[in-house]
Structures are given as structure tokens and as C-alpha cells.
Amino acid sequence: LQAAGKKNSSNLLELTEAELEEQFVRGDGPGGQATNKTNNCVVLKHIPSGIVVKCHQTRSVEQNRKRAREILQEKVDLFYKGEDSDVFKEKKASEKKKQEKKRRAKENLERKKHFKEMQQLDKK
């Protein structure tokens, strides 16, 4: 989820600890022995919706637990509210902004090409 962690949680659905199932597992990816020997990866499941989040962003279990809950809260909000969710709206706005930036970059490139062509014609 691209928008995860960028939204304040005031409008998101609240999660209760009774609805969550938490596990600590060994993480994977880069890190070598430190990653392979410690159980600091948090797997969090929201039982009513069945959504599962795996968080292994830091070496700290507490930070991973906090981060996993934030991500899960946003995913659950998106699951239940759909297009009315603030997370969905923020993601759409971000995509629109990215497309606009791409369009402007393409226009600038075309403008530069045209300018170079004009310079070539002037030299001849």
C-alpha cells in the first residue's frame, strides 16, 4: 500500500486488540545473520476481515509492531470504506500528481527538442 503511513489516523477505523492475531517470525531479505537469527518480523492478522500484514522495516520489534498496526489500520479502513476511505482518496491524488509531473516533463523534453531543431536550422 503506497499511501501507508502518510495519513493521520484520526478518520480511520479503530482496531481493537481482541480482533488482532500477532506473531513474531524471522524476517527475510538482506541483513545476513542478524536477519536469520532474530524473530523481529511482525505478522499481524485482522480476524474479522482476514487481512494479514507483515512488517520487517526495522530491527526493533516494538517499532515493527507499531508500524504493522498503522499499516493494518489503513488497509482495514480501505477494505471497509472502499472509495470513501481517506487512504484511497490520498492514493488517487498522489497518482494524479505523479501523472501531471510526468506530463510536464514530457512537454519540457519536446520543447527542448524543438529548440535544438530550431538552432540547427539557424546554423544552416
Side-chain angles (χ1 to χ4, degrees):
L1 185 68
Q2 292 287 330
K6 297 178 184 175
K7 188 73 183 159
N8 59 2
S9 60
S10 60
N11 296 335
L12 300 178
L13 292 175
E14 291 297 320
L15 300 178
T16 60
E17 289 297 317
E19 297 176 332
L20 303 179
E21 186 178 295
E22 186 174 45
Q23 291 179 323
F24 302 101
V25 296
R26 289 191 179 142
D28 55 357
Q33 291 175 340
T35 299
N36 299 335
K37 290 182 181 177
T38 58
N39 292 339
N40 56 5
C41 179
V42 178
V43 178
L44 202 57
K45 180 178 181 179
H46 185 250
I47 298 167
S49 65
I51 297 173
V52 178
V53 170
K54 186 175 180 183
C55 182
H56 188 231
Q57 294 179 352
T58 68
R59 291 171 60 181
S60 166
V61 176
E62 288 304 315
Q63 288 178 354
N64 286 335
R65 288 181 76 207
K66 181 180 178 193
R67 189 76 189 104
R69 279 168 172 70
E70 291 171 359
I71 295 169
L72 184 65
Q73 186 178 22
E74 291 178 359
K75 284 192 173 192
V76 167
D77 187 68
L78 187 60
F79 179 78
Y80 285 117
K81 291 183 180 177
E83 292 184 9
D84 295 334
S85 172
D86 289 342
V87 176
F88 182 81
K89 291 174 184 174
E90 186 173 315
K91 186 176 179 183
K92 281 292 182 190
S94 175
E95 286 176 9
K96 189 174 181 181
K97 196 174 186 180
K98 186 176 178 181
Q99 287 175 349
E100 179 64 23
K101 189 175 180 180
K102 224 178 195 180
R103 185 189 63 77
R104 275 186 270 142
K106 191 174 181 181
E107 284 179 357
N108 275 344
L109 187 64
E110 290 294 325
R111 209 175 295 128
K112 286 179 182 177
K113 280 184 182 178
H114 183 68
F115 182 71
K116 281 186 178 182
E117 289 172 1
M118 295 301 282
Q119 281 184 332
Q120 294 293 332
L121 289 175
D122 287 347
K123 287 183 180 179
K124 291 181 181 180

